[in-house]
Each structure stands twice: as structure tokens, then as C-alpha cells.
Amino acid sequence: MLAGGPSSHVPQDGVAELARRIPGGHMVTIPVGHLIHHAAPEAFTEVIAAFLPAEETVRPARQP
């Protein structure tokens, strides 16, 4: 989970609890408020990119 820290309007304890309930989940805080992607695009991209699988491990979707 990606959290915006104390200036976010989303209660951070709720975000932490949600991350705790997801098996293998964790929370990363970038303390810039709710619009993380706008306020800190480089940090946002770094965190999201680390979450995504490497290109060689991505499999195409099955076709119907």
C-alpha cells in the first residue's frame, strides 16, 4: 500500500491496517498528502516500479 502520510485526508492507521490484512502486504509512506503521484511523481514511480514484476516474468493474458 502507498500512503501519503499525516497530511493525507485518508486516515493512515486505516491504511496500515489494510496493508496488515493483505498477505505479504506492507505500507510505504511518502509524506506529501493524498495526491502522491502529483506531489512526488519520481518517488511514486520508484515505489510502483519496485512492485511490478520484471518484464521477462510477465505473461500475456489468455485469449478467450
Side-chain angles (χ1 to χ4, degrees):
M1 308 256 0
L2 188 54
S7 61
S8 175
H9 70 277
V10 178
Q12 299 300 285
D13 56 340
V15 176
E17 175 63 17
L18 184 57
R20 187 187 69 74
R21 291 177 180 227
I22 297 171
H26 68 279
M27 184 171 96
V28 175
T29 299
I30 300 174
V32 295
H34 183 66
L35 297 175
I36 301 166
H37 64 286
H38 179 70
E42 294 86 10
F44 173 83
T45 301
E46 184 178 318
V47 171
I48 298 303
F51 170 77
L52 297 174
E55 186 175 325
E56 59 271 3
T57 64
V58 176
R59 294 185 222 172
R62 293 188 339 180
Q63 299 296 319

